[in-house]
Amino acid sequence: MTAPLTGLRVLDLATLFAGPLAATLLGDFGAEVVKVEHPSKPDPSRGHGPSKDGVGLWWKMLGRNKRTITLDLSKPGGRTTLLRLAAGADVIIENFRPGSLEKWDLGWPELSAANPRLVLARVTGFGQFGPYAHRPGFGTLAEAMSGFAAITGEPDAPPTLPPFGLADSIAGLTTAYAVMTALAARDRTGEGQVVDMALIEPILAALGPQPLWYDQLGHVQPRTGNRSPNNAPRGVYRTADGTWVAVSTSAQSVAERVMRLVGRPELIDEPWFATGADRARHADVLDEAVGSWIAARTRPDVLAAFEKAEAAVAPVQDVRDVMADPQYQALNTITTVDDPELGPLRMQNVLFRLSATPGAIRWAGRPHGADTDEVLTELGLSPADLTALRAEGAL
């Protein structure tokens, strides 16, 4: 079965993490992705986090469905080779600091001259212009600068950063969407364009209407821990067997079901129970009612009772629970990929299911430069050309 992006050619020049993730998402649905890395300084994700037998595990996921080549873009031979690759590509994704490609005479004028239909996605911390454009940019800075950290954590505790690449992940998803949007425009106009993606922007969009609230009401959202200012009861509650469950009552009908379930139906008749915001102002009362009921029961009993009452609940799971969860198993969310270096690997499957043209993980991340000769030979370079590029240090 032909994948939906079969025939789309992508050059992934990016590192850590948003740009490479965007390329991974395109590759999952059939795009031919070639990962271009420096000959002596590979993508740092290869060494990021835990490894097994000296092989980085993060890379196995981030590098899946990509062929890998080495190329030093600062060398004349590397520049020429990239332009040849660009001539046959649809998309280039890069995350160098603004001005880096231009320094190597590989800016948009040169790339678009080589291929007027090319889409160039430029992923940086702060965008291609503005007072911060040339600063080093990482997801942690975006999480702090966007307002995410300011609203995360307990009211009397410091702002809290996520222990994973949240801003990078959101930007990677957004970059894949932006690339597809630019390609749709190219289908109409015949011309490519530049995507300017700043890490600080997609996470701000994900935070919801905070700027609108501030603009219209002067409201600055505070830290509220696991509580929500928009509804209650809402949060995590400890069970009798020492585990945790999360409860949400965003819908009024669900809030009423929860109170009946925990034996406090009289609270439904309180005037303040009629809206989520009013319930949130009485969160202490509601949390005590729900928390004490949950604390007297084991997690399996709590989940079963909530399900029977058609109330919204979920276990707070760690990765061990996720791997064994029957819903994830039914969706095939965790799939097994055979890898020549490490054997069978279990990792997240493609991001969504298409009924007619599904995506697939064809292979996990490959060794540094494993496909250099094959890819460049397909480009038309001869063995002598490859030898000359290696002698120059371009490969």
Side-chain angles (χ1 to χ4, degrees), residues 25-380:
L25 297 174
L26 299 175
D28 283 352
F29 286 89
E32 179 189 328
V33 181
V34 173
K35 174 76 174 180
V36 181
E37 299 174 86
H38 191 278
S40 60
K41 292 177 283 187
D43 188 329
S45 66
R46 290 182 178 274
H48 205 81
S51 62
K52 179 182 177 182
D53 299 335
V55 178
L57 297 178
W58 201 320
W59 167 252
K60 285 297 177 183
M61 178 181 171
L62 194 64
R64 71 192 195 190
N65 292 334
K66 301 178 184 181
R67 294 197 288 172
T68 65
I69 71 170
T70 60
L71 205 58
D72 186 342
L73 305 183
S74 69
K75 304 290 186 182
R79 174 187 180 275
T80 301
T81 303
L82 183 71
L83 287 174
R84 291 184 64 172
L85 286 165
D90 298 284
V91 179
I92 291 179
I93 301 174
E94 63 97 358
N95 72 336
F96 299 109
R97 269 198 231 182
S100 296
L101 285 182
E102 287 75 9
K103 177 178 65 178
W104 302 322
D105 292 325
L106 287 170
W108 179 239
E110 291 81 10
L111 292 172
S112 60
N115 181 357
R117 292 175 54 81
L118 184 69
V119 170
L120 173 63
R122 314 194 76 169
V123 185
T124 58
F126 305 104
Q128 294 295 311
F129 55 90
Y132 305 162
H134 291 277
R135 292 181 180 179
F138 297 98
T140 298
L141 308 187
E143 289 145 10
M145 186 174 169
S146 63
F148 172 85
I151 65 169
T152 304
E154 295 297 329
D156 57 352
T160 300
L161 294 166
F164 67 101
L166 177 63
D168 280 290
S169 298
I170 296 173
L173 292 165
T174 309
T175 300
Y177 163 68
V179 165
M180 298 309 298
T181 302
L183 291 172
R186 187 188 72 174
D187 288 344
R188 294 196 307 273
T189 66
E191 296 181 355
Q193 60 183 298
V194 176
V195 172
D196 181 2
M197 181 63 61
L199 292 183
I200 60 174
E201 292 183 304
I203 189 171
L204 179 58
L207 291 177
Q210 286 191 47
L212 182 60
W213 289 344
Y214 178 74
D215 175 65
Q216 295 296 302
L217 301 173
H219 176 70
V220 178
Q221 184 174 339
R223 287 191 293 285
T224 56
N226 288 319
R227 287 181 173 178
S228 166
N230 303 311
N231 65 79
R234 188 261 196 185
V236 295
Y237 304 89
R238 192 178 181 92
T239 63
D241 52 359
T243 59
W244 296 84
V245 296
V247 173
S248 175
T249 57
S250 297
Q252 180 70 20
S253 60
V254 174
E256 294 174 5
R257 290 175 200 149
V258 170
M259 302 323 297
R260 292 190 186 98
L261 172 64
V262 302
R264 298 296 300 276
E266 76 279 3
L267 294 176
I268 299 172
D269 297 326
E270 294 286 348
W272 48 261
F273 199 88
T275 70
D278 283 339
R279 293 199 310 273
R281 283 188 277 271
H282 294 78
D284 287 343
V285 174
L286 297 172
D287 277 345
E288 191 283 327
V290 174
S292 61
W293 186 91
I294 289 175
R297 291 160 175 82
T298 65
R299 185 160 78 176
D301 288 343
V302 170
L303 297 176
F306 267 74
E307 183 174 358
K308 184 177 180 180
E310 297 184 355
V313 70
V316 176
Q317 301 191 145
D318 63 22
V319 67
R320 294 167 296 185
D321 303 314
V322 169
M323 300 289 266
D325 185 279
Q327 183 60 34
Y328 282 129
Q329 290 178 350
L331 295 173
N332 196 29
T333 304
I334 304 297
T335 191
T336 300
V337 181
D338 288 326
D339 181 70
E341 288 187 285
L342 297 178
L345 305 174
R346 288 191 293 169
M347 66 176 69
Q348 296 97 318
N349 207 340
V350 299
L351 197 58
F352 48 86
R353 287 162 293 281
L354 296 179
S355 61
T357 55
I361 302 173
R362 302 182 297 282
W363 61 82
R366 289 174 54 69
H368 181 227
D371 305 291
T372 301
D373 287 10
E374 180 183 59
V375 170
L376 297 186
T377 298
E378 291 171 1
L379 189 63

